[in-house]
Amino acid sequence: MIIVMKAGASPGEVERVTDRIHELGYQVHLSQGTERTIIGIIGDERPLDPATFEVMESVEKTVSVLQPFKLASRDFGPENTVIRLNGLRIGGSQLVVMAGPCSVEDRNQLLETAHAVKEAGASMLRGGAYKPRTSPYSFQGLGLKGLEILAEAREQTGLYVVTEVMAPDKVPLVAEYADVLQIGARNMQNYALLHAVGRSQKPVLLKRGMMSTIEELLMSAEYILSDGNYNVMLCERGIRTFETYTRNTTDINAIPALKHLSHLPVIGDPSHGTGKWPLVAPVARALVAAGADGLIVEVHNDPEHALSDGAQSLKPERFADLMTEIRRIAEAVGRTV
Amino acid sequence: MIIVMKAGASPGEVERVTDRIHELGYQVHLSQGTERTIIGIIGDERPLDPATFEVMESVEKTVSVLQPFKLASRDFGPENTVIRLNGLRIGGSQLVVMAGPCSVEDRNQLLETAHAVKEAGASMLRGGAYKPRTSPYSFQGLGLKGLEILAEAREQTGLYVVTEVMAPDKVPLVAEYADVLQIGARNMQNYALLHAVGRSQKPVLLKRGMMSTIEELLMSAEYILSDGNYNVMLCERGIRTFETYTRNTTDINAIPALKHLSHLPVIGDPSHGTGKWPLVAPVARALVAAGADGLIVEVHNDPEHALSDGAQSLKPERFADLMTEIRRIAEAVGRTV
Amino acid sequence: MIIVMKAGASPGEVERVTDRIHELGYQVHLSQGTERTIIGIIGDERPLDPATFEVMESVEKTVSVLQPFKLASRDFGPENTVIRLNGLRIGGSQLVVMAGPCSVEDRNQLLETAHAVKEAGASMLRGGAYKPRTSPYSFQGLGLKGLEILAEAREQTGLYVVTEVMAPDKVPLVAEYADVLQIGARNMQNYALLHAVGRSQKPVLLKRGMMSTIEELLMSAEYILSDGNYNVMLCERGIRTFETYTRNTTDINAIPALKHLSHLPVIGDPSHGTGKWPLVAPVARALVAAGADGLIVEVHNDPEHALSDGAQSLKPERFADLMTEIRRIAEAVGRTV
Amino acid sequence: MIIVMKAGASPGEVERVTDRIHELGYQVHLSQGTERTIIGIIGDERPLDPATFEVMESVEKTVSVLQPFKLASRDFGPENTVIRLNGLRIGGSQLVVMAGPCSVEDRNQLLETAHAVKEAGASMLRGGAYKPRTSPYSFQGLGLKGLEILAEAREQTGLYVVTEVMAPDKVPLVAEYADVLQIGARNMQNYALLHAVGRSQKPVLLKRGMMSTIEELLMSAEYILSDGNYNVMLCERGIRTFETYTRNTTDINAIPALKHLSHLPVIGDPSHGTGKWPLVAPVARALVAAGADGLIVEVHNDPEHALSDGAQSLKPERFADLMTEIRRIAEAVGRTV
């Protein structure tokens, strides 16, 4: 950490800062510039709170030198992490496509959609049994019944199942039915929940909060990793900006940025990233072209009668077309689907 | 809800939409403009999902007519809600000032700070026993021990206690020690937690998420109200914007906007709203001038040794000065402290 | 336009609104819902200012039915606009790649870079002679001398030249040297400048403001089109969001959204969109995969000695690699470079 | 400037950076931490472009030590700048209130409004003769005729006149009629225009761009100051965020932040800051409570018939009430109106 002193800070004020640093068990490196004194802190700065120094009136600002995440960083894992689910590899040269409806609504809807996405080439089935909804008056999911339907679809199709868990005490139950536990965007900083999935050994799909930076996403991954669960996928699903034509703004920059900063697999979500089905296919192609390790796409057998997110769901035939396009892009970047 | 059809939508396409509306149990009002056909849906639109129609290719967009929140709205409560805590009234003509450290760190720190804020005129003590921290390596709070220290401070000073609860299963425990349950910004859309505090009968301080809209804040309040707990205070604590000089951007517009849209009391948090102690006093004055019903302010007896948020904490003597300023502004807007 | 009245608006208040509509020469369509009265305005709403009605106390809100742009819209141009520059076609099936340094710094730098990008397959040379810089103390461009160097590079290489014009009175001069006039992001709503390039007949590359919505970008294009200059390319170059790891956030959604809303060619700028050269190639691939009609990329023969934007400039050999990747992606989406 | 090297940077890579620093005429201060090498540059860093170093592959990041603005900074002007307009002082203990319509629409409208705001206690008249409008089809202002009407209003009322100038070549004309030249938010980084008003000696009201940082606002002021015009007022008029209930988000933090960083007077604009007249009075009070040196408020004698911005304009009687409230708040913070 580097501390920049205010112009005209007195030797006594500088000493007060360096004393505090020594008190905390660190060494000091002093540099006297033409306009400012700069104090470097030598040692692992991660446990230090910049506020310790910012609160001193003689301090202008502090600057962190190290990234605050460790286990999630490229320094820690120079090789890409590949998550194994029996035969499936996530984070390797083959892309993983997860597809299915926003919510599990009933047995027929899910099974019909599951067979359709399987046939088009998806390898994992998505579908919410527990739904976080902005309004208490909206459909909140089928709960346990939804989990059972998902399990039945897995048996029939051989697709793996990814589904959201919303509360720490539900983790064991959801883990019984799902192959991958999804942490939704609104829960990215729900630390009690991060600890609960960290202590389970199930792979986790961690969605970026709509209001969260790339660094914060990696810090939330760090929570799960530091509890001993290394099977974490990061998911870019669009951030909130001033643009209102689309539901969110897909942060395409985040795909190569996350691959650069971390060894964890990165999944793109063009459905939430755009919120409009006509934009899903072009943005899905873009995510793969930018280096995503997989996609999660909303597909519904009858979007007009969907209980949630119909406007961003693809019909099965459009999803099949998308898979064809994705295969071509994957090939162009040296990968397979 | 209003549905705008695309230019050139055929009579058959219009009929398909109106059929769907009738199927859902609503009546239709058709209007043929010069460039577009517009379809009005007659009846309570709140249970309707706009996506039901947006997914149809002939539909250009939908527009909601009604606000999605009901119990939290001004229509529902033309009179301001006043929350009673024994002698204290929140939401009346007297402002409520909550003050104390970010975290409860130890007995001395909390008691010393509590006595100082009491003497300066605060009526409620804040202090976190469970702390949501971006990093798993940061201080996470004292937990139960912290709650016990808060209760001791209440006994010694007569201050009411507000403290954060982070997980649904901790609500009964925290409710035993606290007078007001705080839902933090990161948990504003943690619906399992909202239900848990909704089912308790403790007053709730609901903080706005750092990237949540005013409408979403009111929808989260609606969750708590719809569970039968009407004692909800809304808290503006700064939103995330592109500006990085300050930690957050205090949304001062939200104060009169919330008072206009809702009957619930509105509290301002100038500490998180700015993240820099020299800005806390001017922004605290502004919040009161804009019509806030109270303030929540971080005060620490020794900010340089704080384990969290030191940079935005006031020393007790600065807090006492702030109280003097606040009294003058309160008087200027016809209120008392 | 649709006007939603407040709950409980009296017949007299409704009449006052409808009288005002008639006074403005429009017809009225009245709809009495269960909770609100809704007033539709029949006729071309574009000249109407919603504020005319929003200022009335009985009005809750107004909703526009039509998009505010006309000449730039898909309704107006169902066929894609193809801009012709002698042999070059912009907006057709062949992608256009514009490349070159941020600023023209000297003759050697520009000529060396121009030859390199020509060889790699670019068809247009970019380079700023007039530079908008945040600081008055930064390099502001070579001005006329820069234009002359650009013209020389065109002669030597056969590349077309695109360069920025910053003030209305400089349009004739820049138009003498350039093939395409660039309006920079900071000037997207500099209406005096938009009129000046609108009155010239040179093709225009209109960059989206970093703070501008898709709709506002199209409204700025509308200014140029309504002055009779139909040769406008839209350029997505990243928007400002809360994310600070990258300089801007490339709005990849905007590529298909603009193609959907408008007939004008759409160019992507991965250099400004990311601000970091290691992210330029993946994001360039993504822009093409999403449907962009071309790219504008910063290339510098010696980025370490660049006077501006070095951190986002590619070295010529990296640009050549990028061209190879782009050709593969273009083929995957059925286009050529 | 501080340069953080990547983990594992070799001695040769460090030398290459220090060589480049010496080549640019600066001295080097080297610090070897436990995980990173840090290189300090000694000397005035303002002319340096961080990209010079960021482009090197061994460099992780650079950090600026000094603020990039000089003449606008508190270091440069420890005393507040007070701008003198004959009898009027802007930036002293007395607040300045500027009021009037968005646009000058006709003689009667302006004169009636001018007399009303004068009577209520305003000291300056605002009104646009040249209007920047998002749509080319909206009213664009009366131009010269509008300036003449403003001048007549000044003669009749004694109010000073502030009005916007949109193009460099119009500065002499507008300066002939106006007492203060306004640079609108969309033109905050129109550098040709900044130079033009910098070379005039008229006081300038510089509005913050709707997505410009506090630092960028001060850099734009620096352009004007560095041309020798020291009479610059900064204006906070709301920034663009994700919140859509209000037109903009008034950045109340910016008021004390600007007073802290700069010696220039700071004016608040609650009309554009909110976009809704019912919010104007509470936010105006907040701006004064936070330390603004003045306000600029939209007032229209007949907002329902306004040609622009009616929804955020106050009627004269509401403005008179606001002046009464403002006087009380001013007194509470030790100032007068």
Side-chain angles (χ1 to χ4, degrees):
Chain A
M1 188 176 295
I2 290 160
I3 298 168
V4 180
M5 301 297 291
K6 283 192 181 150
S10 70
E13 288 172 319
V14 172
E15 200 182 324
R16 193 160 163 222
V17 173
T18 58
D19 282 357
R20 188 80 183 88
I21 296 171
H22 288 134
E23 190 184 325
L24 289 159
Y26 290 83
Q27 281 187 282
V28 164
H29 183 101
L30 211 69
S31 162
Q32 186 63 51
T34 46
E35 305 194 30
R36 293 283 191 285
T37 296
I38 289 162
I39 302 170
I41 299 182
I42 304 199
D44 180 359
E45 72 185 37
R46 288 190 194 83
L48 283 177
D49 186 340
T52 307
F53 307 102
E54 286 168 8
V55 74
M56 299 183 178
E57 294 195 35
S58 60
V59 170
E60 186 159 301
K61 63 173 175 182
T62 67
V63 178
S64 295
V65 169
L66 300 178
Q67 287 158 338
F69 45 89
K70 247 185 160 159
L71 305 175
S73 74
R74 262 289 167 213
D75 285 1
F76 185 82
E79 299 291 313
N80 286 341
T81 285
V82 177
I83 298 175
R84 285 147 199 271
L85 267 180
N86 301 329
L88 197 65
R89 301 276 174 280
I90 305 169
S93 70
Q94 194 176 354
L95 299 179
V96 174
V97 179
M98 313 170 183
C102 176
S103 312
V104 182
E105 297 168 10
D106 60 52
R107 196 171 163 277
N108 281 350
Q109 169 244 17
L110 191 75
L111 293 179
E112 197 176 316
T113 307
H115 283 286
V117 304
K118 168 74 180 181
E119 194 172 336
S123 51
M124 208 179 292
L125 177 66
R126 60 150 294 152
Y130 299 92
K131 296 300 306 170
R133 301 302 299 272
T134 308
S135 167
Y137 310 125
S138 298
F139 175 62
Q140 310 272 322
L142 295 181
L144 175 57
K145 179 73 194 152
L147 295 176
E148 290 169 353
I149 297 174
L150 284 165
E152 185 182 351
R154 173 173 45 199
E155 257 175 73
Q156 288 195 14
T157 60
L159 291 165
Y160 297 89
V161 165
V162 52
T163 196
E164 178 164 358
V165 57
M166 284 172 60
D169 62 351
K170 288 282 194 299
V171 170
L173 178 71
V174 178
E176 218 176 287
Y177 289 87
D179 300 292
V180 175
L181 301 174
Q182 177 181 316
I183 301 291
R186 290 178 179 83
N187 280 319
M188 194 200 85
Q189 296 191 316
N190 179 339
Y191 299 117
L193 185 59
L194 295 180
H195 278 308
V197 300
R199 284 186 297 258
S200 107
Q201 283 307 315
K202 283 277 173 185
V204 176
L205 179 76
L206 177 64
K207 291 198 142 192
R208 179 179 181 185
M210 75 177 80
M211 57 187 93
S212 300
T213 62
I214 289 170
E215 184 178 300
E216 287 167 346
L217 170 59
L218 290 167
M219 289 307 291
S220 286
E222 190 84 5
Y223 262 89
I224 304 172
L225 298 171
S226 69
D227 279 328
N229 184 347
Y230 285 81
N231 294 314
V232 177
M233 295 161 244
L234 307 170
C235 180
E236 164 58 37
R237 46 77 72 204
I239 56 173
R240 183 168 272 185
T241 68
F242 63 83
E243 178 58 67
T244 55
Y245 180 75
T246 47
R247 181 173 170 182
N248 290 295
T249 297
T250 308
D251 183 0
I252 195 78
N253 295 353
I255 304 295
L258 287 168
K259 296 303 294 180
H260 181 74
L261 290 169
S262 177
H263 52 88
L264 297 170
V266 176
I267 308 296
D269 177 345
S271 307
H272 288 87
T274 62
K276 294 190 157 166
W277 67 260
L279 306 185
V280 169
V283 171
R285 295 193 308 255
L287 288 160
V288 172
D293 297 304
L295 294 174
I296 181 164
V297 181
E298 289 193 356
V299 180
H300 195 288
N301 62 329
D302 182 8
E304 291 183 23
H305 290 82
L307 295 179
S308 58
D309 277 357
Q312 68 194 35
S313 295
L314 296 185
K315 292 180 184 169
E317 57 273 23
R318 285 208 185 92
F319 176 67
D321 291 346
L322 172 61
M323 288 300 290
T324 306
E325 299 177 25
I326 290 304
R327 278 189 196 96
R328 281 199 213 112
I329 301 282
E331 199 187 345
V333 295
R335 302 181 79 161
T336 57
V337 178
Chain B
M1 187 176 295
I2 290 160
I3 298 168
V4 179
M5 301 297 290
K6 282 194 181 147
S10 70
E13 288 172 319
V14 172
E15 199 182 323
R16 193 161 163 222
V17 174
T18 58
D19 283 356
R20 187 82 180 89
I21 297 171
H22 289 132
E23 189 184 326
L24 289 159
Y26 290 82
Q27 281 187 281
V28 165
H29 183 103
L30 209 71
S31 162
Q32 185 63 52
T34 46
E35 305 194 31
R36 293 282 189 286
T37 297
I38 290 163
I39 302 170
I41 299 182
I42 306 199
D44 180 358
E45 72 185 38
R46 290 190 193 82
L48 283 178
D49 186 341
T52 306
F53 307 103
E54 286 168 9
V55 76
M56 299 183 180
E57 294 195 36
S58 60
V59 169
E60 185 158 306
K61 64 173 175 181
T62 66
V63 179
S64 295
V65 169
L66 300 178
Q67 287 158 338
F69 45 89
K70 243 183 162 161
L71 306 174
S73 73
R74 263 290 167 211
D75 284 1
F76 185 82
E79 299 291 311
N80 286 341
T81 285
V82 177
I83 299 174
R84 284 143 201 271
L85 268 179
N86 300 330
L88 197 64
R89 300 277 173 280
I90 305 169
S93 70
Q94 194 176 351
L95 299 178
V96 174
V97 180
M98 313 171 183
C102 175
S103 311
V104 182
E105 296 168 9
D106 61 51
R107 196 169 164 277
N108 281 352
Q109 169 244 16
L110 191 76
L111 293 178
E112 197 176 315
T113 307
H115 282 286
V117 303
K118 168 76 179 182
E119 196 173 334
S123 50
M124 209 178 292
L125 177 66
R126 61 150 292 152
Y130 299 93
K131 295 300 306 170
R133 301 302 298 272
T134 308
S135 168
Y137 310 124
S138 298
F139 175 62
Q140 310 272 322
L142 296 181
L144 176 57
K145 179 75 194 151
L147 295 175
E148 291 168 352
I149 297 173
L150 283 166
E152 184 181 352
R154 173 172 46 198
E155 257 174 70
Q156 288 196 13
T157 60
L159 290 165
Y160 296 89
V161 165
V162 54
T163 196
E164 178 164 356
V165 57
M166 283 172 61
D169 63 350
K170 287 283 194 298
V171 170
L173 178 71
V174 178
E176 218 177 288
Y177 289 87
D179 300 293
V180 175
L181 300 174
Q182 179 181 315
I183 301 292
R186 289 176 181 84
N187 281 318
M188 194 200 86
Q189 296 191 317
N190 180 338
Y191 299 118
L193 186 58
L194 295 181
H195 277 309
V197 301
R199 284 186 296 258
S200 106
Q201 284 306 312
K202 281 279 173 184
V204 176
L205 180 75
L206 177 64
K207 291 198 142 191
R208 180 180 180 184
M210 73 178 81
M211 217 154 173
S212 300
T213 62
I214 289 171
E215 185 179 300
E216 288 168 343
L217 171 58
L218 289 168
M219 288 308 291
S220 287
E222 189 84 6
Y223 261 88
I224 304 172
L225 298 171
S226 69
D227 278 328
N229 184 347
Y230 285 82
N231 294 315
V232 177
M233 296 162 241
L234 307 170
C235 181
E236 164 58 39
R237 46 76 74 203
I239 56 174
R240 181 168 273 184
T241 69
F242 64 85
E243 178 60 64
T244 55
Y245 180 75
T246 48
R247 180 173 172 182
N248 290 295
T249 297
T250 308
D251 183 0
I252 195 79
N253 294 354
I255 304 295
L258 286 168
K259 296 302 294 180
H260 181 74
L261 290 168
S262 177
H263 52 87
L264 298 171
V266 176
I267 307 296
D269 178 344
S271 307
H272 288 87
T274 63
K276 294 193 156 165
W277 65 261
L279 305 185
V280 169
V283 171
R285 295 193 309 256
L287 288 160
V288 172
D293 296 305
L295 295 173
I296 181 162
V297 182
E298 289 194 355
V299 180
H300 195 287
N301 62 328
D302 182 8
E304 291 182 25
H305 290 82
L307 295 181
S308 59
D309 277 358
Q312 68 194 36
S313 296
L314 297 184
K315 294 180 184 169
E317 55 272 24
R318 285 208 186 94
F319 176 68
D321 291 348
L322 171 61
M323 287 300 289
T324 306
E325 298 177 26
I326 289 305
R327 278 188 196 96
R328 280 198 213 112
I329 300 283
E331 198 186 346
V333 294
R335 303 181 79 162
T336 57
V337 178
Chain C
M1 187 176 294
I2 289 159
I3 298 168
V4 179
M5 301 297 291
K6 283 192 181 150
S10 70
E13 288 172 320
V14 172
E15 199 183 322
R16 193 163 162 218
V17 174
T18 58
D19 283 356
R20 187 80 183 88
I21 296 171
H22 289 133
E23 189 184 326
L24 288 160
Y26 290 82
Q27 280 187 283
V28 165
H29 183 102
L30 210 70
S31 163
Q32 186 63 52
T34 45
E35 304 195 31
R36 292 283 190 285
T37 297
I38 290 163
I39 302 171
I41 299 181
I42 305 199
D44 180 0
E45 71 185 36
R46 290 190 193 83
L48 283 177
D49 186 342
T52 307
F53 307 102
E54 286 167 8
V55 74
M56 299 183 179
E57 295 196 36
S58 60
V59 169
E60 187 159 302
K61 64 174 174 181
T62 66
V63 179
S64 295
V65 169
L66 299 179
Q67 287 158 337
F69 45 89
K70 245 184 160 161
L71 305 176
S73 74
R74 262 289 167 212
D75 285 0
F76 185 82
E79 298 292 312
N80 285 342
T81 285
V82 177
I83 298 174
R84 284 145 200 270
L85 267 180
N86 301 328
L88 197 65
R89 300 277 173 280
I90 305 170
S93 70
Q94 194 177 353
L95 298 179
V96 174
V97 179
M98 313 171 185
C102 176
S103 311
V104 183
E105 297 168 9
D106 60 53
R107 196 170 163 277
N108 282 350
Q109 170 244 16
L110 191 74
L111 292 179
E112 197 176 317
T113 307
H115 282 286
V117 303
K118 169 74 180 181
E119 196 172 335
S123 51
M124 210 179 290
L125 177 66
R126 60 150 293 151
Y130 299 92
K131 295 301 306 170
R133 302 301 299 273
T134 308
S135 167
Y137 310 125
S138 299
F139 174 61
Q140 310 272 321
L142 295 181
L144 176 56
K145 180 74 194 148
L147 295 176
E148 290 169 354
I149 297 173
L150 283 165
E152 185 182 350
R154 174 174 43 198
E155 257 174 71
Q156 288 195 14
T157 61
L159 291 165
Y160 297 89
V161 165
V162 53
T163 196
E164 179 165 357
V165 56
M166 284 172 61
D169 62 351
K170 287 282 195 298
V171 170
L173 178 71
V174 178
E176 218 176 286
Y177 289 88
D179 300 294
V180 175
L181 300 174
Q182 178 181 317
I183 301 292
R186 291 178 179 84
N187 280 318
M188 194 200 85
Q189 295 190 316
N190 180 339
Y191 299 117
L193 186 59
L194 295 181
H195 278 308
V197 301
R199 284 186 298 257
S200 106
Q201 284 307 314
K202 282 277 173 185
V204 176
L205 179 76
L206 177 65
K207 291 197 140 191
R208 180 180 180 184
M210 74 177 81
M211 57 187 95
S212 299
T213 62
I214 289 170
E215 184 178 301
E216 287 167 345
L217 171 58
L218 290 168
M219 288 308 290
S220 287
E222 189 84 6
Y223 262 89
I224 304 173
L225 298 171
S226 68
D227 279 328
N229 184 347
Y230 284 81
N231 295 314
V232 177
M233 295 161 243
L234 307 169
C235 180
E236 165 58 37
R237 45 76 74 204
I239 57 173
R240 183 167 271 185
T241 68
F242 63 83
E243 177 59 66
T244 55
Y245 180 74
T246 47
R247 180 173 171 183
N248 291 295
T249 297
T250 308
D251 183 1
I252 195 78
N253 295 354
I255 303 295
L258 287 168
K259 296 302 293 180
H260 180 74
L261 291 169
S262 177
H263 51 89
L264 297 171
V266 175
I267 308 295
D269 177 347
S271 307
H272 288 87
T274 62
K276 294 192 156 165
W277 67 260
L279 306 184
V280 169
V283 172
R285 295 193 309 256
L287 287 161
V288 172
D293 298 304
L295 295 173
I296 181 164
V297 182
E298 289 194 356
V299 179
H300 195 288
N301 63 328
D302 182 7
E304 291 183 25
H305 290 82
L307 296 180
S308 59
D309 277 359
Q312 68 194 35
S313 295
L314 297 185
K315 292 181 185 168
E317 56 274 24
R318 285 207 187 94
F319 176 67
D321 292 346
L322 171 60
M323 287 299 290
T324 305
E325 299 178 23
I326 290 305
R327 278 190 196 97
R328 280 198 214 113
I329 301 282
E331 199 186 345
V333 294
R335 302 182 80 162
T336 57
V337 178
Chain D
M1 188 176 295
I2 290 160
I3 298 169
V4 180
M5 300 296 291
K6 283 195 180 146
S10 71
E13 288 171 319
V14 172
E15 200 182 323
R16 191 160 164 223
V17 174
T18 58
D19 283 356
R20 187 80 182 89
I21 297 172
H22 289 133
E23 188 184 327
L24 289 159
Y26 290 82
Q27 282 187 281
V28 165
H29 183 103
L30 210 69
S31 162
Q32 187 60 56
T34 45
E35 305 195 31
R36 292 283 190 285
T37 298
I38 289 162
I39 302 171
I41 299 181
I42 305 201
D44 180 359
E45 71 185 38
R46 289 192 193 83
L48 283 177
D49 186 341
T52 306
F53 307 102
E54 286 168 7
V55 76
M56 298 183 180
E57 294 195 35
S58 60
V59 169
E60 185 158 305
K61 63 174 175 181
T62 66
V63 179
S64 296
V65 169
L66 300 179
Q67 287 159 338
F69 45 89
K70 244 183 164 162
L71 305 175
S73 74
R74 262 291 166 213
D75 285 1
F76 185 81
E79 300 290 312
N80 287 340
T81 285
V82 177
I83 298 174
R84 283 145 201 269
L85 268 179
N86 298 331
L88 198 64
R89 300 278 173 279
I90 305 169
S93 70
Q94 195 177 351
L95 300 178
V96 174
V97 180
M98 312 170 184
C102 175
S103 311
V104 182
E105 297 167 10
D106 61 52
R107 196 168 164 275
N108 281 351
Q109 169 245 16
L110 191 76
L111 294 178
E112 197 175 316
T113 308
H115 282 286
V117 303
K118 169 74 179 181
E119 197 173 334
S123 50
M124 209 178 292
L125 177 66
R126 62 150 291 153
Y130 299 92
K131 295 300 305 169
R133 300 302 298 275
T134 308
S135 168
Y137 310 124
S138 299
F139 174 61
Q140 309 272 323
L142 296 181
L144 175 57
K145 179 72 194 153
L147 295 176
E148 291 169 352
I149 297 174
L150 284 165
E152 184 182 351
R154 173 172 46 198
E155 257 175 70
Q156 287 196 15
T157 60
L159 291 165
Y160 297 89
V161 165
V162 53
T163 196
E164 179 164 356
V165 57
M166 283 171 61
D169 62 352
K170 286 284 194 298
V171 169
L173 179 71
V174 178
E176 218 176 286
Y177 288 88
D179 300 292
V180 175
L181 300 174
Q182 178 181 317
I183 300 291
R186 290 177 181 83
N187 280 318
M188 194 201 86
Q189 296 191 318
N190 179 339
Y191 300 118
L193 185 59
L194 296 181
H195 278 308
V197 301
R199 284 187 296 258
S200 107
Q201 284 306 314
K202 282 279 173 182
V204 176
L205 180 75
L206 177 65
K207 290 198 143 192
R208 180 179 180 185
M210 74 179 81
M211 217 154 172
S212 299
T213 62
I214 289 170
E215 185 179 298
E216 288 168 344
L217 171 59
L218 290 168
M219 288 308 290
S220 287
E222 190 85 5
Y223 261 89
I224 303 173
L225 298 170
S226 68
D227 279 328
N229 184 347
Y230 284 81
N231 294 314
V232 177
M233 296 162 241
L234 307 169
C235 180
E236 164 59 36
R237 47 74 76 202
I239 57 173
R240 182 168 273 184
T241 68
F242 63 85
E243 177 60 65
T244 55
Y245 180 75
T246 48
R247 181 173 171 183
N248 290 295
T249 297
T250 308
D251 183 0
I252 195 79
N253 295 354
I255 303 295
L258 286 168
K259 297 302 295 180
H260 180 73
L261 291 168
S262 177
H263 51 89
L264 297 171
V266 176
I267 307 296
D269 177 345
S271 306
H272 288 87
T274 63
K276 294 192 155 163
W277 67 261
L279 306 185
V280 169
V283 172
R285 294 193 308 256
L287 288 161
V288 172
D293 297 304
L295 295 173
I296 180 163
V297 182
E298 289 194 355
V299 180
H300 195 288
N301 61 328
D302 182 8
E304 291 183 24
H305 290 81
L307 295 181
S308 59
D309 276 359
Q312 68 195 37
S313 295
L314 297 184
K315 292 181 185 169
E317 55 272 25
R318 285 206 186 95
F319 176 68
D321 291 348
L322 171 60
M323 288 299 290
T324 306
E325 298 177 26
I326 290 304
R327 278 189 195 96
R328 281 198 212 112
I329 301 282
E331 200 185 346
V333 294
R335 302 182 80 162
T336 56
V337 178

